[in-house]
Amino acid sequence: MNDRPKKAISTSTLELARKVLAIEADAVNALISRLDERFLDAIGLILACRGRVVVSGVGKSGHIARKIASTMASTGTPAFFLHAAEAGHGDLGMITRDDVVLALSNSGQSDELLTIIPLIKRQGAKLIALTGNADSALAKEADVHLDARVAQEACPLNLAPTASTTAALALGDALAVALLDARGFDEQDFARAHPGGALGRKLLTHVSDVMRTGNDVPSVPDAASFADVLVEMSGKGMGMTAIVDSLGKVVGIFTDGDLRRTLERRPDVGSLKIAEIMKRAPHTIAPHKLAAEAVEVMERYKINQLLVASKTGELVGALNMHDLFRAKVI
């Protein structure tokens, strides 16, 4: 335990924090001018890889390596993290000749990595080294070396990995995104890799997944009386009912709002037929459409319910905003 007296928090603390951010921003910015053919060679190696990208490192570089592997895996490049120390104790068997190893070490001299590099090369896997020292043993052994050197660490002692890990992480992100683009990885692919996330729900959830069907869908024939409509609306609790013809095709809709407006205009509704007051040609959506498209239609036309119809116009379901909220589409 450190018993040294703590410094008082002051404006100098804020200035130090700003200096840290400036140093790390400069470290990332300096990478831009150093991107060259070696970066393209690294991309080429990975695209030609028939196996996976094995990202490895130890210490703080190991934490960065784990994040890079995760980013690659979620953006279309099969990858996993392998701790360099564990590799030397049996986990090296995870690497095959079809893989590409991306090794991270700021010094380029990590003993754990240097111990396994000859074995990786003997296996036939390709090696990309991401280091801060182009003259290091790791850089010289690599098929491709990516230069992630920094002028200084953000730590006042110039010791704790700070700017160097930020630069390595940024360069790893540049690799992942360049690979994403080269593979034509799109939103649908991203959603399939993130089915539990908000984007996954928006891009993978279809109207058929959230719509109400069968007896849960309020529906009356176009010859129904006003009383029949009230019974159907109150019993199904969707704030509306669909109106269909004798073939089951959608011809109209009648909502809670329409009900209020009708009662304001015509207090005597006993003899009304729904065909006289329904809203004709209502907005509908097909069951195979994305639920996100249903949200867009409802927001565009300022409606809270939407009927689902087949290609030929038959009523097959219905949904409202509450259904979409429950499915976490919105």
Side-chain angles (χ1 to χ4, degrees), residues 49-105:
C49 170
R50 292 183 298 170
R52 299 189 178 197
V53 178
V54 183
V55 193
S56 188
V58 293
K60 301 300 185 293
S61 292
H63 295 306
I64 300 302
R66 189 184 296 275
K67 192 275 178 185
I68 291 172
S70 177
T71 299
M72 285 185 172
S74 68
T75 53
T77 298
F80 66 90
F81 169 73
L82 174 64
H83 195 285
E86 296 297 329
H89 293 276
D91 286 358
L92 196 62
M94 296 180 181
I95 302 175
T96 74
R97 63 179 296 107
D98 294 326
D99 297 329
V100 171
V101 176
L102 173 60
L104 275 67
S105 170

Side-chain angles (χ1 to χ4, degrees), residues 20-31 34 58-65 68 103-108 130-133 146-155 158-173:
V20 169
L21 294 177
I23 291 172
E24 298 208 7
D26 288 343
V28 173
N29 192 57
L31 295 173
R34 296 207 298 270
V58 293
K60 301 300 185 293
S61 292
H63 295 306
I64 300 302
I68 291 172
L104 275 67
S105 170
N106 185 43
S107 68
L130 195 160
T131 82
N133 182 1
L146 297 177
D147 185 357
R149 70 182 184 274
V150 298
Q152 62 177 319
E153 296 288 7
C155 164
N158 198 32
L159 295 175
T162 46
S164 59
T165 49
T166 299
L169 179 60
L171 196 49
D173 284 344

Side-chain angles (χ1 to χ4, degrees), residues 181-263:
D181 181 69
R183 296 180 191 279
F185 192 85
D186 60 17
E187 283 188 338
Q188 293 288 339
D189 296 315
F190 191 89
R192 281 188 284 273
H194 301 76
L199 181 60
R201 286 191 292 272
K202 287 183 179 180
L203 295 181
L204 296 179
T205 303
H206 293 81
V207 169
S208 58
D209 298 322
V210 298
M211 70 183 189
R212 305 187 196 192
T213 60
N215 290 331
D216 292 329
V217 180
S219 171
V220 297
D222 51 6
S225 68
F226 191 77
D228 294 332
V229 171
L230 292 181
V231 170
E232 185 71 0
M233 289 176 66
S234 62
K236 300 297 174 62
M238 283 196 72
M240 65 88 190
T241 184
I243 295 91
V244 297
D245 63 15
S246 59
L247 298 177
K249 294 185 177 181
V250 176
V251 293
I253 190 172
F254 192 74
T255 68
D256 282 343
D258 297 323
L259 173 60
R260 289 192 297 272
R261 286 185 287 273
T262 299
L263 293 175

